[in-house]
Amino acid sequence: MRCPNSALRQDAESVLAVNEHREAYDTLHHTLNDIGCLRARLGLTHGAHWQGDVANDFSLPPDHAISRHDELVDRVSNAVSLYNRWRRWRGPWLLVAVFATGAGIGVVMGFALCLGLAAG
Amino acid sequence: MSMARFSPFELVLLNSRSQVDTATLLLLAWVLVNRQHVSEGQRRRRLAQVTAQFRHGHELGPVMSIAHNQDLQAIQLAAEILRKECSQERSLSVLHQSITVATDDGDLSLANHYILRFLADLLNVTPTTLSTLFYELTGRPLTSPEDPSRHAYWQRHNPDYFNQKAREAAAKQQARDEAAQQADEKNQQRKQKKQRKQQEKQRQQEEAQARQAHARQERERQRQRDDQSRREQAQREQARQDRSRYERAQGERRQWQRTAPPPDRTTRALAVLGLPPGASRSDVRLAYRRMAQLHHPDRFFTESEHQVALASARFQRIKNAYDYLMQTY
């Protein structure tokens, strides 16, 4: 079906029918999408520099992504607490437990081997 | 709590001596990546030059590669750090550096138009301040970004393409005109040919009609000649019979018939109808009607057979005479 608006058709032909133009257009479109997303997450969808058609076209509703900085701080805190725990007391006891488990398995397997030999 | 691993930018940030500087570095690298007509080496050198005073203390390579990947989460993190930890003076300084990096010697790219405005909003810089700063740094006013989804934009920025397109369209139009002209000529020729054929056909028809008319005339003439010869023969025959009768009658009435001139057939026919020689056609018709009424055999059906036969003979003679006169007159 052919678009009845001739100006719109001419715009579309000039922009989308030429590879070079289309690439430039797509790149800018991608960048504007990114900026729209960033503004939505940073609460800048009503900034003084974000007005008019572009703002209308590329503003996104706020999503549930939390602040990246808070996330980083949480992750660092978690890593620090894990490290501290390991360093304090859980680390050595864990090593002892692993060693004891390995020794027990070895004893059981040796006992089974002795039984097999005796039966044979 | 997220169990994901630390992203490359987070690791860079953790290794940085100044997180604000590292965040600024990433945003400046983002602006540089969106600059056009600049090589990768030039970008890296420019970034090192601009951030010479920074205290981040790590390599620029990882930051450049993150900016190249357009890692949205990293940019968001940098923006958050910048907003959280930047003073007013530092904000203006960052914006200053961004404008410098975006418009060193060339024009401001479309993407950087929007990135600079995003940074201005992020750093709480008003449009007036941004315009002033831009004008002071570049010597040109900050215009509103153009719209590359319009035909007019590409006409301005890529006139070569449209010139070539116009030339191609003109060539196509010319080819179409030539084709139309050729088609016209062909049509004309076909029409002329058709007309010639029609004229030829018409001529042939006329000739055929003329031949037919000629043949008809010939036949007619032949028929007339035949009629004439038949009539002449009949006349000769009649004349011969008349002569023999006349000779017989002469033998009987030799005395008075020798002097009378031999009457021709028309005179005799007129005489049968009781008319003088030279009577008109209407006179002949009237006389015939009168004679036919007088001598019709039906009038004598009460008489004897002999009378009827005589009347028939008389009527026959009258009719013959009338027929002859009708033919000759």
Side-chain angles (χ1 to χ4, degrees):
Chain A
M1 192 174 156
R2 205 169 163 81
C3 176
N5 186 336
S6 62
L8 196 60
R9 201 168 59 232
Q10 192 183 28
D11 287 345
E13 276 170 7
S14 295
V15 178
L16 304 177
V18 187
N19 284 337
E20 188 189 340
H21 299 179
R22 184 170 191 141
E23 275 171 23
Y25 175 79
D26 284 348
T27 309
L28 182 66
H29 194 271
H30 186 248
T31 308
L32 280 170
N33 260 332
D34 285 352
I35 289 175
C37 187
L38 282 173
R39 279 179 177 273
R41 287 178 181 177
L42 295 166
L44 297 173
T45 44
H46 293 86
H49 291 96
W50 191 243
Q51 307 283 340
D53 291 340
V54 176
N56 290 335
D57 289 346
F58 292 96
S59 284
L60 297 171
D63 52 8
H64 298 293
I66 60 162
S67 161
R68 304 297 305 174
H69 189 254
D70 293 350
E71 197 185 342
L72 175 66
V73 171
D74 283 350
R75 215 179 287 170
V76 170
S77 313
N78 189 32
V80 167
S81 67
L82 277 176
Y83 178 78
N84 284 349
R85 259 178 249 163
W86 174 262
R87 294 292 284 183
R88 250 179 232 163
W89 57 276
R90 283 198 185 166
W93 280 112
L94 196 62
L95 277 178
V96 169
V98 170
F99 181 74
T101 310
I105 290 168
V107 167
V108 169
M109 286 180 70
F111 185 66
L113 190 63
C114 286
L115 277 180
L117 286 175
Chain B
M1 185 165 34
S2 170
M3 293 300 287
R5 293 194 297 175
F6 287 102
S7 68
F9 184 62
E10 286 170 341
L11 292 175
V12 170
L13 267 182
L14 292 175
N15 288 329
S16 170
R17 285 185 206 148
S18 163
Q19 288 197 340
V20 184
D21 283 352
T22 305
T24 311
L25 200 63
L26 180 67
L27 293 175
L28 290 178
W30 187 34
V31 171
L32 265 176
V33 163
N34 281 292
R35 237 181 91 173
Q36 289 171 330
H37 317 301
V38 184
S39 72
E40 190 53 40
Q42 283 174 319
R43 280 197 184 113
R44 208 163 278 212
R45 277 198 298 280
R46 189 77 186 100
L47 190 62
Q49 199 181 348
V50 171
T51 59
Q53 305 297 320
F54 281 20
R55 298 175 292 112
H56 49 78
H58 55 75
E59 292 293 318
L60 294 180
V63 178
M64 275 307 277
S65 65
I66 291 164
H68 258 296
N69 295 336
Q70 307 258 358
D71 185 352
L72 203 58
Q73 290 189 344
I75 293 168
Q76 186 186 339
L77 180 54
E80 283 172 9
I81 291 169
L82 210 62
R83 187 165 61 169
K84 204 169 278 184
E85 301 184 13
C86 234
S87 63
Q88 184 68 28
E89 291 78 25
R90 184 67 204 267
S91 298
L92 283 175
S93 159
V94 169
L95 210 55
H96 181 289
Q97 285 163 336
S98 305
I99 294 170
T100 314
V101 162
T103 61
D104 264 335
D105 45 358
D107 292 327
L108 191 61
S109 74
L110 279 173
N112 275 336
H113 262 289
Y114 295 104
I115 291 173
L116 281 184
R117 285 175 165 85
F118 166 71
L119 291 177
D121 271 344
L122 182 76
L123 299 167
N124 277 326
V125 175
T126 59
T128 323
T129 315
L130 178 68
S131 302
T132 313
L133 197 58
F134 189 88
Y135 185 73
E136 281 175 5
L137 289 173
T138 60
R140 278 175 291 184
L142 178 66
T143 55
S144 54
E146 290 176 294
D147 188 355
S149 64
R150 299 270 177 239
H151 174 70
Y153 172 84
W154 291 108
Q155 260 188 336
R156 246 192 330 278
H157 287 82
N158 195 3
D160 293 345
Y161 169 75
F162 289 98
N163 288 342
Q164 193 182 347
K165 206 172 159 188
R167 276 198 299 274
E168 282 172 9
K172 210 176 278 180
Q173 181 65 34
Q174 196 177 351
R176 210 177 304 138
D177 287 349
E178 282 175 7
Q181 205 173 345
Q182 282 180 354
D184 273 355
E185 282 175 10
K186 212 173 273 181
N187 264 346
Q188 199 76 19
Q189 284 177 355
R190 205 177 302 140
K191 212 175 280 179
Q192 283 178 356
K193 207 170 171 183
K194 201 172 169 185
Q195 210 168 348
R196 273 204 301 274
K197 211 176 273 180
Q198 211 164 351
Q199 283 175 352
E200 185 72 20
K201 201 171 168 184
Q202 202 171 350
R203 200 170 54 77
Q204 282 177 356
Q205 276 181 352
E206 280 172 4
E207 278 180 4
Q209 280 177 355
R211 269 203 303 276
Q212 280 178 355
H214 185 70
R216 208 179 303 127
Q217 280 178 353
E218 196 65 33
R219 272 203 304 280
E220 187 68 26
R221 219 172 290 139
Q222 184 67 31
R223 198 172 57 76
Q224 281 178 358
R225 267 204 303 273
D226 289 351
D227 284 353
Q228 186 70 26
S229 61
R230 217 172 21 246
R231 248 196 323 268
E232 281 173 2
Q233 200 173 353
Q235 277 179 355
R236 274 200 301 276
E237 187 66 26
Q238 187 68 32
R240 199 166 48 78
Q241 285 178 1
D242 287 350
R243 206 161 38 245
S244 61
R245 204 184 304 141
Y246 173 73
E247 280 169 3
R248 276 204 304 278
Q250 209 178 21
E252 288 170 6
R253 298 173 218 135
R254 197 173 299 262
Q255 197 56 45
W256 66 272
Q257 273 183 351
R258 198 177 286 161
T259 54
D264 67 328
R265 193 173 174 187
T266 308
T267 316
R268 279 188 288 113
L270 286 172
V272 166
L273 290 175
L275 291 168
S280 70
R281 195 179 167 87
S282 54
D283 289 343
V284 169
R285 196 174 291 126
L286 279 173
Y288 167 70
R289 282 188 191 151
R290 199 176 55 243
M291 295 295 278
Q293 281 173 0
L294 278 176
H295 299 283
H296 201 276
D298 288 352
R299 290 190 66 198
F300 300 96
F301 73 98
T302 52
E303 306 291 327
S304 65
E305 282 186 6
H306 179 64
Q307 291 288 336
V308 172
L310 281 177
S312 290
R314 267 200 312 276
F315 184 75
Q316 191 62 42
R317 198 162 61 241
I318 288 162
K319 191 171 184 325
N320 282 342
Y322 174 71
D323 287 344
Y324 171 74
L325 288 173
M326 281 298 115
Q327 273 179 10
T328 49
Y329 266 48

